[in-house]
Amino acid sequence: MSAHIPVLLEEVLDALQPVAGASIIDATFGRGGYTQALLAAKAARVLALDRDPQAIAAGEAMARAEAPRLTLALCRFSDLEAAARAHDFVPCDGIVFDIGVSSPQIDDPERGFSFRADGPLDMRMGAEGPSAADLVNGLSEGALADVLHHFGEERQARAIARALVKARGEGPITRTGALAAIVARVVKGGGKIDPATRTFQALRYAVNDELSELEAGLAAAERVLAPGGRLAVVTFNSLEDRIVKQFFAERSGRTAGRSRHLPVAPDDAAASFAEFRGPITASAAETARNIRARSAKLRAALRTERSPRALTPLAPRLPNEDPRR
């Protein structure tokens, strides 16, 4: 099993402030780093969720050892509320999200998440839906460019999309190495990141609809948390962090750019979250121990007694095309 070191662990525990008797949801179980720490901090019960069947299978031994305090469930963010109700975690005292791909997913070439080792071009966190190969080979050039632009912030999205369409005309693109090589011919090296980084990020987001899932998960957390409950979210890039920041800004009754020092706006009285923390970043010592922590940001807030608000779309939407047609 690949190791997975939870980032900002002490900071997350400080944000959640688990106490004896607390019921907490770990919405991204991974390999159980946050869950283990929450149980050690005497949380009475933890509901650990993950959309990856391999993560759930890897956690079964922990669940048996920690029964009945730990419950595992296969679940994506958009189904968080249903899972919480099914396992009697409504209302709960805390929820933590660690957004993005885990080390075991990246390190296994057969999952297709990484351009560093050749493998099948898959990228699915679960077993359902179109793969990255389906998107690369099935979407129109315009839709591919939109995916790369909106989900990867790739400035050369149109040139890459054009190169992919030309390459697939000679045969399907089915391997991560082949995709990375095509992108490298368009995006020249020399920068701080590999030329294929943004393309792989964009495809992964699109394959798993991750940004819309994050949006839905945050809204579900608002509905599930008890007054006084705490929400902590760790992100790893600007797209994820922007959604979390905008979500908290909207739920606080403020706009994202409005100073906290300005007079309270009339709708602040309806704020469903307060006492914000973040962005909190990793220390130099943690980054030295775990390179994955260098881009991590933690934002956290306290749930108030105010009613949840309707979900406002925050994430870019996927192209309205079926790549497998």
Side-chain angles (χ1 to χ4, degrees):
M1 182 190 304
S2 302
H4 179 76
I5 305 171
V7 303
L8 296 169
L9 179 58
E10 294 303 319
E11 292 83 352
V12 166
L13 291 176
D14 184 58
L16 291 177
Q17 299 183 18
V19 296
S23 296
I24 297 180
I25 297 175
D26 180 353
T28 43
F29 177 71
R31 290 304 184 266
Y34 290 138
T35 290
Q36 285 181 319
L38 290 165
L39 292 169
K42 308 303 181 184
R45 300 186 302 151
V46 175
L47 173 60
L49 310 175
D50 206 293
R51 68 185 293 180
D52 187 344
Q54 292 188 22
I56 297 299
E60 288 177 353
M62 184 192 300
R64 288 193 297 269
E66 296 290 349
R69 297 174 62 210
L70 173 59
T71 301
L72 292 180
L74 186 65
C75 176
R76 59 174 61 207
F77 294 161
S78 54
D79 295 324
L80 184 150
E81 183 179 7
R85 293 191 182 281
H87 296 285
D88 195 26
F89 271 74
V90 180
C92 68
D93 301 300
I95 300 177
V96 56
F97 291 85
D98 175 5
I99 306 304
V101 66
S102 69
S103 297
Q105 290 168 329
I106 294 174
D107 295 342
D108 182 358
E110 292 303 306
R111 302 298 300 273
F113 286 103
S114 177
F115 48 79
R116 300 191 185 281
D118 187 52
L121 189 55
D122 194 323
M123 300 193 193
R124 290 175 294 181
M125 291 184 176
E128 73 287 344
S131 67
D134 290 325
L135 268 62
V136 167
N137 293 290
L139 290 178
S140 66
E141 181 179 319
L144 268 175
D146 285 345
V147 165
L148 299 179
H149 173 70
H150 293 298
F151 294 90
E153 299 185 314
E154 173 55 71
R155 280 179 271 184
Q156 298 191 55
R158 296 200 177 281
I160 294 171
R162 190 160 50 247
L164 292 174
V165 170
K166 180 180 179 181
R168 78 192 190 193
E170 300 172 4
I173 303 165
T174 61
R175 307 287 294 182
T176 58
L179 174 61
I182 294 167
V183 176
R185 291 196 290 269
V186 177
V187 182
K188 303 306 179 184
K192 293 183 179 180
I193 64 173
D194 188 280
T197 299
R198 292 189 178 92
T199 293
F200 271 67
Q201 173 191 295
L203 290 170
R204 193 197 89 213
Y205 277 161
V207 165
N208 299 290
D209 201 11
E210 289 182 46
L211 298 182
S212 291
E213 285 290 320
L214 170 57
E215 176 184 290
L218 294 172
E222 180 185 31
R223 296 190 297 270
V224 166
L225 280 167
R230 297 178 181 273
L231 173 60
V233 189
V234 177
T235 61
F236 291 88
N237 66 53
S238 59
L239 284 171
E240 298 165 352
D241 183 61
R242 192 177 304 142
I243 290 172
V244 177
K245 180 180 178 180
Q246 290 175 343
F247 174 83
F248 279 142
E250 180 183 277
R251 265 47 183 185
S252 72
R254 298 176 171 87
T255 61
R258 182 172 178 267
S259 170
R260 71 181 68 183
H261 303 295
L262 291 175
V264 176
D267 59 349
D268 283 358
S272 55
F273 282 96
E275 295 186 17
F276 299 95
R277 301 186 186 191
I280 298 169
T281 57
S283 66
E286 179 175 2
T287 302
R289 294 192 306 270
N290 180 11
I291 189 109
R292 184 171 179 257
R294 66 183 176 182
S295 60
K297 290 183 179 180
L298 166 65
R299 296 183 187 272
L302 179 77
R303 184 73 172 88
T304 71
E305 296 182 354
R306 301 300 179 182
S307 298
R309 300 187 180 191
L311 176 63
T312 299
L314 300 171
R317 278 359 193 199
L318 294 171
N320 186 26
E321 287 187 13
D322 182 358
R324 297 175 295 183
R325 68 183 187 280

